[in-house]
Amino acid sequence: MNDLTLPISDAGSLLDGEPIAEAAPAARRTRQARVAWGDHVVTVGGDAPVRVQSMTNTDTVQVIETAIQVKELALAGSELVRITVNTPEAAAAVPHIREQLDRMNINVPLVGDFHYNGHRLLTEYPACAEALSKYRINPGNVGRGEKGDRQFAQMVEVACKYDKPVRIGVNWGSLDQELLKSLMDANAKRSKPWELKQIMYEALVRSAIESAQAARDVGLDPNQILLSCKMSAVQDLISVYRGLSKRTDYALHLGLTEAGMGAKGTVASAAALSVLLQEGIGDTIRVSLTPQPGEARTQEVVVALEILQSLGLRHFNPSVTACPGCGRTTSTVFQDLTKQIDDFLRSQMPVWRDRFPGVEGMKVAVMGCIVNGPGESKHADIGISLPGTGEAPSAPVYIDGERVLTLRGDNIAGEFRAIVEQYIERRYGAVTAAH
Ligand code: SF4
């Protein structure tokens, strides 16, 4: 095997090579859709930030329960919330859910998820059509042949009438079987047939693009069309979205469908979405986590925010850099402090976001011992380096790279929280005062 390691330059010519390029997400170049409720407009695509969305798992007919979950998702950071609209009763409930939200001052736009009977529900329940800010149509579930085309057109006509954007959401689990069959037939006639997977990818991408064209033919503004082609395997999703983004400039809704539960769902979603977002693919994301028993639905929003923040695409919460701990931190003091600080910052953010603009970009370091503690703490805006087991019971605190004081005793956590709060007031409160 060749040794690819480049020789290190001699002293005196230390920087004579090429600098190492800084990694950054590629620019996105899509059209921009406007999803609005009243004066509140959420732009998706183009130069808008990558948006976070989520979906309720309540029975839409249960108006109060659904409105409360929408509120929780919105407060957690979801900028759009989708609800199932599957029956006449659900369609009738939608305007009441909207009213409840308006009463609670929650202006998050609602997206209606339609399958099979969307054409009837949207035409027979105009108040539902108006209360929703966007419709999701699955071209695989609108009906077959000419009837399917007619029913699809019916839904798009409603979108045009009320000026609502539409997501054409293709899903591998409910792919248009006629299209798949015609591609299989065409493949059988090729001298060098494609792999089955490539036919599958082609069917998904074609279904989305052809449906978008059909929506435009009905009169829908192309800027008001979003596309998605969801798959449940990471490499399949990456393949399909790469293909999709090469062939269209519609805004793309990105998500791994049926991601699963817990660590599996979180990691699979992060893996798939990160690759694509880094390539500039994806204008709005949803993390489709199956909640673990007792887990809040908002966990999917927490994961979505973390993905965007980890990639440096957006900042929602101050970031806490913490070492993993090791044999030098055998007590739980370090873990407790890290959790307390993290919980404290997250719980305060709904208030701080308005009071202290810019605080979401703050970096806090909570480190276990002197090995990396002082170094990481100096790089953060504010940091603390705890005493490792067996070290002197003192914890130096660093602010803006300078060691400013050392905490001792058994209330290090409380005192550090107070210092963080004072720092935020001083640094970010000044921004508010200047405005
Ligand atoms: S900073 Fe110290 S406690 Fe934390 S992982 Fe490194 S050596 Fe272990």
Side-chain angles (χ1 to χ4, degrees), residues 126-414:
C128 164
E130 278 194 85
L132 293 169
S133 302
K134 179 176 156 218
Y135 312 147
R136 182 270 169 109
I137 304 177
N138 180 342
N141 285 344
V142 292
R144 288 166 179 259
E146 231 177 83
K147 191 173 161 207
D149 294 345
R150 212 170 46 244
Q151 294 180 166
F152 177 83
Q154 237 178 307
M155 284 190 272
V156 175
E157 277 161 16
V158 178
C160 295
K161 179 174 173 189
Y162 296 112
D163 190 22
K164 308 285 183 182
V166 167
R167 168 162 68 100
I168 294 168
V170 181
N171 202 305
W172 172 236
S174 49
L175 182 59
D176 179 342
Q177 293 304 308
E178 287 170 41
L179 174 63
L180 184 61
K181 188 177 173 307
S182 56
L183 290 178
M184 299 282 256
D185 291 347
N187 195 42
K189 291 184 191 134
R190 285 179 60 89
S191 55
K192 280 192 189 158
W194 290 3
E195 298 286 328
L196 190 60
K197 267 213 165 167
Q198 290 168 321
I199 300 295
M200 176 177 98
Y201 298 160
E202 184 68 24
L204 282 151
V205 171
R206 263 180 189 265
S207 176
I209 294 176
E210 288 177 5
S211 301
Q213 187 53 51
R216 289 173 73 160
D217 293 345
V218 174
L220 193 62
D221 178 347
N223 292 317
Q224 293 293 67
I225 297 174
L226 296 98
L227 299 186
S228 67
C229 287
K230 292 198 182 177
M231 312 278 288
S232 55
V234 172
Q235 298 294 358
D236 288 338
L237 190 88
I238 294 171
S239 308
V240 164
Y241 270 83
R242 280 180 177 160
L244 190 60
S245 79
K246 272 202 191 106
R247 295 195 205 170
T248 71
D249 62 357
Y250 297 115
L252 298 181
H253 167 121
L254 181 59
L256 189 72
T257 192
E258 294 111 26
M261 201 179 250
K264 189 264 171 189
T266 304
V267 173
S269 294
L273 270 52
S274 297
V275 169
L276 291 165
L277 290 166
Q278 186 73 0
E279 293 177 12
I281 301 170
D283 300 293
T284 172
I285 63 169
R286 189 218 167 183
V287 174
S288 302
L289 281 188
T290 309
Q292 307 204 61
E295 186 176 68
R297 185 64 165 179
T298 48
Q299 183 60 19
E300 66 171 58
V301 179
V302 171
V303 174
L305 300 184
E306 288 295 342
I307 291 172
L308 296 181
Q309 180 147 332
S310 302
L311 290 170
L313 279 162
R314 295 187 67 181
H315 291 283
F316 302 97
N317 292 305
S319 59
V320 177
T321 302
C323 77
C326 67
R328 285 172 167 267
T329 52
T330 46
S331 79
T332 58
V333 176
F334 158 68
Q335 293 162 18
D336 291 343
L337 178 66
T338 309
K339 173 136 180 44
Q340 278 187 39
I341 294 298
D342 204 50
D343 289 350
F344 171 64
L345 295 172
R346 281 180 198 277
S347 67
Q348 296 303 310
M349 273 313 285
V351 179
W352 286 350
R353 202 165 279 128
D354 292 333
R355 270 187 74 197
F356 304 120
V359 68
E360 64 278 2
M362 183 176 75
K363 292 193 176 79
V364 181
V366 182
M367 299 293 293
C369 82
I370 53 162
V371 172
N372 289 324
E376 281 289 355
S377 298
K378 279 183 200 163
H379 288 129
D381 294 308
I382 181 161
I384 185 167
S385 175
L386 285 178
T389 313
E391 290 169 14
S394 64
V397 173
Y398 296 80
I399 294 181
D400 295 330
E402 300 291 331
R403 180 173 172 159
V404 289
L405 79 162
T406 301
L407 298 177
R408 292 190 175 82
D410 47 19
N411 189 28
I412 288 180

Side-chain angles (χ1 to χ4, degrees), residues 62-79:
Q62 302 300 325
V63 170
I64 301 295
E65 205 185 319
T66 303
I68 288 172
Q69 194 177 76
V70 171
K71 179 183 174 183
E72 288 168 354
L73 291 165
L75 291 181
S78 185
E79 294 162 297

